[in-house]
Amino acid sequence: MHLATLRTNAGNRAVAVIENQYVDLQAADPTLANDMVGLLAELPQNLKKIEDAAERASAAGEFVTGELLAPITRPGKVICIGLNYRDHAVESNAPIPEEPICFSKFSSSVIGPEETIELPAACKTVDYEAELVVVIGRGGRNISREDAFAHVAGYTVGNDVSARDWQIGRPGGQWLLGKTPDTFAPIGPYVVTADQIEDPSDLAISLRLNGETLQNSSTKELIFGVDEIIAHISQLFSLEPGDIIFTGTPPGVGMARKPPVFLKEGDVTEVEIEGLGVLKNSVKQL
């Protein structure tokens, strides 16, 4: 199932996406949450209930219209994994990690499909990073690898936009400041529920900049899989419904190109992941 968040005249609401139409789940089942985080908390245990509501609403023509937003507009946590593709670590002249390298973004960096990535005047070398994003449904702490996928509600597409001059070029390496400016975490267009993705470690992933493919790989190249990441980070803090995890980017980032390629006014990025859709964003210089 594809789930999305719409801005409607009645406020933001979680909807199902069926044949490019948005289905009003609450119209079919008022007991379902009308916000995405509430709906995710019901996954995967109540997936059948949500699917039945979507089918009834679709059959009854109970569709809604509105502006498509990020599927989770303000996640409680935006967790990111760095250097998680071996060939990306090599192109970055970094050692191959022996355990997940973790950092975070603020929820204020999250935007949705067709929204604009804004380049702050203070950032001169801003890069793109195509990423598979894990969406947490069932919360928990000290989650085992064996139980990790039971906590995954679904997956979406992400772009870990990165100001390299802050992330790398500042004293000590300012990963937080380089990664978390407003609009630097586009996600979407939908959350695809976990049952629809047979193997998240075997998905084609690519990024196009102005129509030119600059990243083209597969999640088979991930060093640490979804289950390993969840088990690793949940040793230290609780995961909650609606938390998202950016799992790392494949090779082909702008800073590693010769000459380097950085985002600029008027650019358009498109991140595509097999089975999850295309996340498209334009770029504006502030």
Side-chain angles (χ1 to χ4, degrees), residues 220-240:
K220 287 189 293 188
E221 304 300 326
L222 284 167
I223 299 171
F224 305 105
V226 171
D227 54 344
E228 292 175 276
I229 293 168
I230 289 174
H232 182 72
I233 62 179
S234 70
Q235 297 176 96
L236 301 173
F237 53 84
S238 298
L239 292 172
E240 299 172 315

PDB file of all heavy atoms in Angstrom, residues 220-240:
ATOM      1  N   LYS A 220      21.931  -3.364  -2.771  1.00  0.00           N
ATOM      2  CA  LYS A 220      22.757  -4.545  -2.511  1.00  0.00           C
ATOM      3  C   LYS A 220      24.144  -4.137  -2.028  1.00  0.00           C
ATOM      4  O   LYS A 220      24.841  -4.933  -1.397  1.00  0.00           O
ATOM      5  CB  LYS A 220      22.885  -5.395  -3.777  1.00  0.00           C
ATOM      6  CG  LYS A 220      21.644  -6.160  -4.157  1.00  0.00           C
ATOM      7  CD  LYS A 220      21.901  -7.134  -5.285  1.00  0.00           C
ATOM      8  CE  LYS A 220      22.210  -6.420  -6.592  1.00  0.00           C
ATOM      9  NZ  LYS A 220      22.266  -7.374  -7.737  1.00  0.00           N
ATOM     10  N   GLU A 221      24.543  -2.918  -2.353  1.00  0.00           N
ATOM     11  CA  GLU A 221      25.877  -2.445  -1.998  1.00  0.00           C
ATOM     12  C   GLU A 221      25.952  -1.854  -0.592  1.00  0.00           C
ATOM     13  O   GLU A 221      27.027  -1.411  -0.158  1.00  0.00           O
ATOM     14  CB  GLU A 221      26.349  -1.407  -3.013  1.00  0.00           C
ATOM     15  CG  GLU A 221      26.343  -1.896  -4.459  1.00  0.00           C
ATOM     16  CD  GLU A 221      27.236  -3.107  -4.675  1.00  0.00           C
ATOM     17  OE1 GLU A 221      28.284  -3.190  -4.013  1.00  0.00           O
ATOM     18  OE2 GLU A 221      26.858  -3.979  -5.487  1.00  0.00           O
ATOM     19  N   LEU A 222      24.839  -1.813   0.135  1.00  0.00           N
ATOM     20  CA  LEU A 222      24.873  -1.319   1.512  1.00  0.00           C
ATOM     21  C   LEU A 222      25.824  -2.152   2.359  1.00  0.00           C
ATOM     22  O   LEU A 222      25.825  -3.384   2.291  1.00  0.00           O
ATOM     23  CB  LEU A 222      23.469  -1.375   2.127  1.00  0.00           C
ATOM     24  CG  LEU A 222      22.466  -0.304   1.711  1.00  0.00           C
ATOM     25  CD1 LEU A 222      21.066  -0.684   2.161  1.00  0.00           C
ATOM     26  CD2 LEU A 222      22.857   1.054   2.280  1.00  0.00           C
ATOM     27  N   ILE A 223      26.624  -1.487   3.173  1.00  0.00           N
ATOM     28  CA  ILE A 223      27.504  -2.200   4.104  1.00  0.00           C
ATOM     29  C   ILE A 223      26.693  -2.747   5.265  1.00  0.00           C
ATOM     30  O   ILE A 223      26.836  -3.912   5.648  1.00  0.00           O
ATOM     31  CB  ILE A 223      28.618  -1.259   4.605  1.00  0.00           C
ATOM     32  CG1 ILE A 223      29.487  -0.771   3.433  1.00  0.00           C
ATOM     33  CG2 ILE A 223      29.488  -1.959   5.658  1.00  0.00           C
ATOM     34  CD1 ILE A 223      30.464   0.324   3.807  1.00  0.00           C
ATOM     35  N   PHE A 224      25.842  -1.904   5.828  1.00  0.00           N
ATOM     36  CA  PHE A 224      24.993  -2.300   6.957  1.00  0.00           C
ATOM     37  C   PHE A 224      23.538  -2.252   6.502  1.00  0.00           C
ATOM     38  O   PHE A 224      23.050  -1.226   6.040  1.00  0.00           O
ATOM     39  CB  PHE A 224      25.206  -1.372   8.156  1.00  0.00           C
ATOM     40  CG  PHE A 224      26.648  -1.272   8.576  1.00  0.00           C
ATOM     41  CD1 PHE A 224      27.400  -0.143   8.286  1.00  0.00           C
ATOM     42  CD2 PHE A 224      27.265  -2.327   9.241  1.00  0.00           C
ATOM     43  CE1 PHE A 224      28.730  -0.049   8.653  1.00  0.00           C
ATOM     44  CE2 PHE A 224      28.600  -2.249   9.611  1.00  0.00           C
ATOM     45  CZ  PHE A 224      29.339  -1.113   9.320  1.00  0.00           C
ATOM     46  N   GLY A 225      22.856  -3.382   6.647  1.00  0.00           N
ATOM     47  CA  GLY A 225      21.473  -3.472   6.226  1.00  0.00           C
ATOM     48  C   GLY A 225      20.525  -2.830   7.218  1.00  0.00           C
ATOM     49  O   GLY A 225      20.904  -2.401   8.312  1.00  0.00           O
ATOM     50  N   VAL A 226      19.256  -2.779   6.837  1.00  0.00           N
ATOM     51  CA  VAL A 226      18.232  -2.148   7.665  1.00  0.00           C
ATOM     52  C   VAL A 226      18.184  -2.772   9.051  1.00  0.00           C
ATOM     53  O   VAL A 226      18.101  -2.072  10.066  1.00  0.00           O
ATOM     54  CB  VAL A 226      16.858  -2.249   6.965  1.00  0.00           C
ATOM     55  CG1 VAL A 226      15.742  -1.790   7.898  1.00  0.00           C
ATOM     56  CG2 VAL A 226      16.855  -1.445   5.668  1.00  0.00           C
ATOM     57  N   ASP A 227      18.231  -4.104   9.128  1.00  0.00           N
ATOM     58  CA  ASP A 227      18.148  -4.778  10.432  1.00  0.00           C
ATOM     59  C   ASP A 227      19.349  -4.464  11.309  1.00  0.00           C
ATOM     60  O   ASP A 227      19.203  -4.222  12.517  1.00  0.00           O
ATOM     61  CB  ASP A 227      17.988  -6.287  10.253  1.00  0.00           C
ATOM     62  CG  ASP A 227      19.073  -6.909   9.379  1.00  0.00           C
ATOM     63  OD1 ASP A 227      19.776  -6.166   8.653  1.00  0.00           O
ATOM     64  OD2 ASP A 227      19.213  -8.151   9.404  1.00  0.00           O
ATOM     65  N   GLU A 228      20.540  -4.407  10.703  1.00  0.00           N
ATOM     66  CA  GLU A 228      21.739  -4.074  11.476  1.00  0.00           C
ATOM     67  C   GLU A 228      21.677  -2.643  12.017  1.00  0.00           C
ATOM     68  O   GLU A 228      22.058  -2.381  13.158  1.00  0.00           O
ATOM     69  CB  GLU A 228      22.981  -4.226  10.602  1.00  0.00           C
ATOM     70  CG  GLU A 228      23.307  -5.646  10.196  1.00  0.00           C
ATOM     71  CD  GLU A 228      24.482  -5.690   9.246  1.00  0.00           C
ATOM     72  OE1 GLU A 228      24.262  -5.509   8.025  1.00  0.00           O
ATOM     73  OE2 GLU A 228      25.613  -5.881   9.716  1.00  0.00           O
ATOM     74  N   ILE A 229      21.199  -1.724  11.184  1.00  0.00           N
ATOM     75  CA  ILE A 229      21.120  -0.325  11.601  1.00  0.00           C
ATOM     76  C   ILE A 229      20.157  -0.167  12.772  1.00  0.00           C
ATOM     77  O   ILE A 229      20.471   0.483  13.774  1.00  0.00           O
ATOM     78  CB  ILE A 229      20.679   0.562  10.421  1.00  0.00           C
ATOM     79  CG1 ILE A 229      21.768   0.588   9.338  1.00  0.00           C
ATOM     80  CG2 ILE A 229      20.362   1.981  10.900  1.00  0.00           C
ATOM     81  CD1 ILE A 229      21.302   1.199   8.025  1.00  0.00           C
ATOM     82  N   ILE A 230      18.973  -0.766  12.655  1.00  0.00           N
ATOM     83  CA  ILE A 230      17.975  -0.648  13.717  1.00  0.00           C
ATOM     84  C   ILE A 230      18.491  -1.246  15.020  1.00  0.00           C
ATOM     85  O   ILE A 230      18.344  -0.644  16.097  1.00  0.00           O
ATOM     86  CB  ILE A 230      16.656  -1.303  13.278  1.00  0.00           C
ATOM     87  CG1 ILE A 230      15.984  -0.449  12.196  1.00  0.00           C
ATOM     88  CG2 ILE A 230      15.708  -1.497  14.468  1.00  0.00           C
ATOM     89  CD1 ILE A 230      14.748  -1.063  11.595  1.00  0.00           C
ATOM     90  N   ALA A 231      19.108  -2.411  14.933  1.00  0.00           N
ATOM     91  CA  ALA A 231      19.642  -3.040  16.143  1.00  0.00           C
ATOM     92  C   ALA A 231      20.743  -2.183  16.762  1.00  0.00           C
ATOM     93  O   ALA A 231      20.820  -2.033  17.991  1.00  0.00           O
ATOM     94  CB  ALA A 231      20.171  -4.437  15.813  1.00  0.00           C
ATOM     95  N   HIS A 232      21.568  -1.586  15.930  1.00  0.00           N
ATOM     96  CA  HIS A 232      22.703  -0.790  16.427  1.00  0.00           C
ATOM     97  C   HIS A 232      22.233   0.463  17.151  1.00  0.00           C
ATOM     98  O   HIS A 232      22.629   0.720  18.290  1.00  0.00           O
ATOM     99  CB  HIS A 232      23.604  -0.417  15.252  1.00  0.00           C
ATOM    100  CG  HIS A 232      24.823   0.364  15.639  1.00  0.00           C
ATOM    101  ND1 HIS A 232      25.895  -0.195  16.314  1.00  0.00           N
ATOM    102  CD2 HIS A 232      25.135   1.682  15.459  1.00  0.00           C
ATOM    103  CE1 HIS A 232      26.816   0.731  16.514  1.00  0.00           C
ATOM    104  NE2 HIS A 232      26.381   1.873  16.014  1.00  0.00           N
ATOM    105  N   ILE A 233      21.372   1.250  16.508  1.00  0.00           N
ATOM    106  CA  ILE A 233      21.005   2.541  17.103  1.00  0.00           C
ATOM    107  C   ILE A 233      20.042   2.378  18.271  1.00  0.00           C
ATOM    108  O   ILE A 233      20.038   3.197  19.192  1.00  0.00           O
ATOM    109  CB  ILE A 233      20.436   3.507  16.043  1.00  0.00           C
ATOM    110  CG1 ILE A 233      19.154   2.963  15.418  1.00  0.00           C
ATOM    111  CG2 ILE A 233      21.488   3.805  14.981  1.00  0.00           C
ATOM    112  CD1 ILE A 233      18.526   3.892  14.384  1.00  0.00           C
ATOM    113  N   SER A 234      19.215   1.321  18.251  1.00  0.00           N
ATOM    114  CA  SER A 234      18.230   1.167  19.328  1.00  0.00           C
ATOM    115  C   SER A 234      18.850   0.690  20.631  1.00  0.00           C
ATOM    116  O   SER A 234      18.169   0.617  21.651  1.00  0.00           O
ATOM    117  CB  SER A 234      17.102   0.226  18.897  1.00  0.00           C
ATOM    118  OG  SER A 234      17.551  -1.104  18.786  1.00  0.00           O
ATOM    119  N   GLN A 235      20.149   0.393  20.606  1.00  0.00           N
ATOM    120  CA  GLN A 235      20.847   0.129  21.862  1.00  0.00           C
ATOM    121  C   GLN A 235      20.916   1.377  22.743  1.00  0.00           C
ATOM    122  O   GLN A 235      21.045   1.288  23.964  1.00  0.00           O
ATOM    123  CB  GLN A 235      22.292  -0.312  21.593  1.00  0.00           C
ATOM    124  CG  GLN A 235      22.465  -1.589  20.830  1.00  0.00           C
ATOM    125  CD  GLN A 235      23.930  -1.839  20.548  1.00  0.00           C
ATOM    126  OE1 GLN A 235      24.597  -2.562  21.281  1.00  0.00           O
ATOM    127  NE2 GLN A 235      24.447  -1.228  19.491  1.00  0.00           N
ATOM    128  N   LEU A 236      20.837   2.554  22.096  1.00  0.00           N
ATOM    129  CA  LEU A 236      21.103   3.808  22.786  1.00  0.00           C
ATOM    130  C   LEU A 236      19.860   4.664  22.991  1.00  0.00           C
ATOM    131  O   LEU A 236      19.803   5.441  23.938  1.00  0.00           O
ATOM    132  CB  LEU A 236      22.145   4.608  21.991  1.00  0.00           C
ATOM    133  CG  LEU A 236      23.485   3.890  21.799  1.00  0.00           C
ATOM    134  CD1 LEU A 236      24.377   4.696  20.869  1.00  0.00           C
ATOM    135  CD2 LEU A 236      24.168   3.669  23.138  1.00  0.00           C
ATOM    136  N   PHE A 237      18.892   4.574  22.108  1.00  0.00           N
ATOM    137  CA  PHE A 237      17.688   5.394  22.257  1.00  0.00           C
ATOM    138  C   PHE A 237      16.505   4.661  21.651  1.00  0.00           C
ATOM    139  O   PHE A 237      16.655   3.775  20.801  1.00  0.00           O
ATOM    140  CB  PHE A 237      17.844   6.777  21.616  1.00  0.00           C
ATOM    141  CG  PHE A 237      18.280   6.763  20.175  1.00  0.00           C
ATOM    142  CD1 PHE A 237      17.350   6.597  19.146  1.00  0.00           C
ATOM    143  CD2 PHE A 237      19.609   6.920  19.833  1.00  0.00           C
ATOM    144  CE1 PHE A 237      17.732   6.591  17.827  1.00  0.00           C
ATOM    145  CE2 PHE A 237      20.013   6.912  18.512  1.00  0.00           C
ATOM    146  CZ  PHE A 237      19.074   6.749  17.504  1.00  0.00           C
ATOM    147  N   SER A 238      15.340   5.049  22.106  1.00  0.00           N
ATOM    148  CA  SER A 238      14.108   4.423  21.628  1.00  0.00           C
ATOM    149  C   SER A 238      13.751   4.931  20.234  1.00  0.00           C
ATOM    150  O   SER A 238      13.895   6.117  19.932  1.00  0.00           O
ATOM    151  CB  SER A 238      12.951   4.729  22.580  1.00  0.00           C
ATOM    152  OG  SER A 238      13.199   4.197  23.863  1.00  0.00           O
ATOM    153  N   LEU A 239      13.283   4.032  19.407  1.00  0.00           N
ATOM    154  CA  LEU A 239      12.673   4.398  18.140  1.00  0.00           C
ATOM    155  C   LEU A 239      11.171   4.510  18.342  1.00  0.00           C
ATOM    156  O   LEU A 239      10.578   3.739  19.102  1.00  0.00           O
ATOM    157  CB  LEU A 239      12.993   3.348  17.075  1.00  0.00           C
ATOM    158  CG  LEU A 239      14.464   3.293  16.652  1.00  0.00           C
ATOM    159  CD1 LEU A 239      14.726   2.110  15.736  1.00  0.00           C
ATOM    160  CD2 LEU A 239      14.894   4.592  15.989  1.00  0.00           C
ATOM    161  N   GLU A 240      10.564   5.477  17.652  1.00  0.00           N
ATOM    162  CA  GLU A 240       9.144   5.763  17.837  1.00  0.00           C
ATOM    163  C   GLU A 240       8.447   5.821  16.488  1.00  0.00           C
ATOM    164  O   GLU A 240       9.096   6.067  15.458  1.00  0.00           O
ATOM    165  CB  GLU A 240       8.980   7.106  18.569  1.00  0.00           C
ATOM    166  CG  GLU A 240       9.620   7.121  19.952  1.00  0.00           C
ATOM    167  CD  GLU A 240       9.615   8.499  20.581  1.00  0.00           C
ATOM    168  OE1 GLU A 240       9.951   9.479  19.868  1.00  0.00           O
ATOM    169  OE2 GLU A 240       9.269   8.605  21.768  1.00  0.00           O
TER     170      GLU A 240
END
